């Protein structure tokens, strides 16, 4: 009888392991199907734009008196088709400096709908400054060319 009980316990343990493996396999199959679906959507996507040039243009436009803490670019559906919804956040020495940067962005292709979302007082390393967030859109269905294709790094070009 002891031998039969031991065999039963061993068989139950193997059955439990089998069930766990089956659950894991099913989970992996679902993840694989989601990944394959994403890959198919990605391969069909026709949105191509020079991301490096866009980042370089933003980097080169930022005055040395400003510090960029956040750059966010999201592809969204707009009324006219595909677009990029972008946000910049950081801090500067004054509202005037932020306003002149916003004005420069408003007049630079491919940026549309450039807005200063907010500007508020901040203290950075013991100095008063102005924190800001700027939002903009880029229409991906309109042809555009970024004129600035280099970024200045550490004072070198």
């Amino acid at each position: 009888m002891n031998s039969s009980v031991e065999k039963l316990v061993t068989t139950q343990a193997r059955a439990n392991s089998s069930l766990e493996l089956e659950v894991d396999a099913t989970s992996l199959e679902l993840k694989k199907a989601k990944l394959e679906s994403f890959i198919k959507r990605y391969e069909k996507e026709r949105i191509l734009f020079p991301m490096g040039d866009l980042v370089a243009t933003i980097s080169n436009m930022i005055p040395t008196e400003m510090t960029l803490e956040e750059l966010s670019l999201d592809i969204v559906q707009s009324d006219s088709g595909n677009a990029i919804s972008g946000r910049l956040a950081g801090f500067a020495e004054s509202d005037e400096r932020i306003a002149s940067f916003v004005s420069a962005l408003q007049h630079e292709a491919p940026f549309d709908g450039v807005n200063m979302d907010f500007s508020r007082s901040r203290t950075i390393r013991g100095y008063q400054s102005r924190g800001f967030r700027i939002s903009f859109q880029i229409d991906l269905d309109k042809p555009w060319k970024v004129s600035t294709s280099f970024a200045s790094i550490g004072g070198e070009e």
Side-chain angles (χ1 to χ4, degrees), residues 71-86:
L71 167 62
S72 174
L73 302 170
D74 298 308
I75 296 176
V76 296
Q77 291 293 318
S78 70
D79 295 337
S80 61
N82 293 317
I84 294 175
S85 173

Side-chain angles (χ1 to χ4, degrees), residues 58-115:
I58 293 168
S59 297
N60 289 319
M61 290 181 69
I62 294 175
T64 57
E65 299 84 7
M66 291 179 76
T67 299
L68 189 63
E69 296 177 302
E70 177 186 339
L71 167 62
S72 174
L73 302 170
D74 298 308
I75 296 176
V76 296
Q77 291 293 318
S78 70
D79 295 337
S80 61
N82 293 317
I84 294 175
S85 173
R87 288 172 304 286
L88 303 170
F91 56 93
E93 63 181 15
S94 67
D95 280 334
E96 291 79 18
R97 180 59 66 191
I98 299 167
S100 68
F101 177 63
V102 168
S103 179
L105 271 179
Q106 288 171 338
H107 295 97
E108 183 75 22
F111 303 100
D112 288 323
V114 179
N115 291 309

Side-chain angles (χ1 to χ4, degrees), residues 2-69:
N2 286 340
S3 174
S4 294
V5 169
E6 284 180 22
K7 286 181 182 179
L8 177 62
V9 169
T10 302
T11 304
Q12 286 177 337
R14 286 183 183 161
N16 287 340
S17 293
S18 272
L19 289 174
E20 288 176 7
L21 287 174
E22 188 175 331
V23 168
D24 288 346
T26 302
S27 174
L28 288 174
E29 286 179 16
L30 288 173
K31 287 179 182 178
K32 180 184 173 191
K34 285 181 183 180
L35 184 58
E36 287 173 345
S37 172
F38 172 80
I39 290 170
K40 285 179 185 176
R41 284 193 324 265
Y42 179 80
E43 288 173 346
K44 288 181 184 179
E45 192 60 51
R46 294 182 4 187
I47 298 175
L48 297 173
F49 54 95
M51 180 61 79
D53 286 348
L54 181 61
V55 172
T57 298
I58 293 168
S59 297
N60 289 319
M61 290 181 69
I62 294 175
T64 57
E65 299 84 7
M66 291 179 76
T67 299
L68 189 63
E69 296 177 302

Side-chain angles (χ1 to χ4, degrees), residues 95-142:
D95 280 334
E96 291 79 18
R97 180 59 66 191
I98 299 167
S100 68
F101 177 63
V102 168
S103 179
L105 271 179
Q106 288 171 338
H107 295 97
E108 183 75 22
F111 303 100
D112 288 323
V114 179
N115 291 309
M116 183 167 60
D117 298 335
F118 66 79
S119 172
R120 60 179 164 231
S121 183
R122 276 182 71 176
T123 303
I124 305 292
R125 294 186 206 126
Y127 294 99
Q128 282 298 98
S129 64
R130 301 296 294 174
F132 67 87
R133 186 175 69 205
I134 299 168
S135 60
F136 59 88
Q137 270 203 293
I138 296 173
D139 186 348
L140 291 175
D141 292 333
K142 287 184 193 173

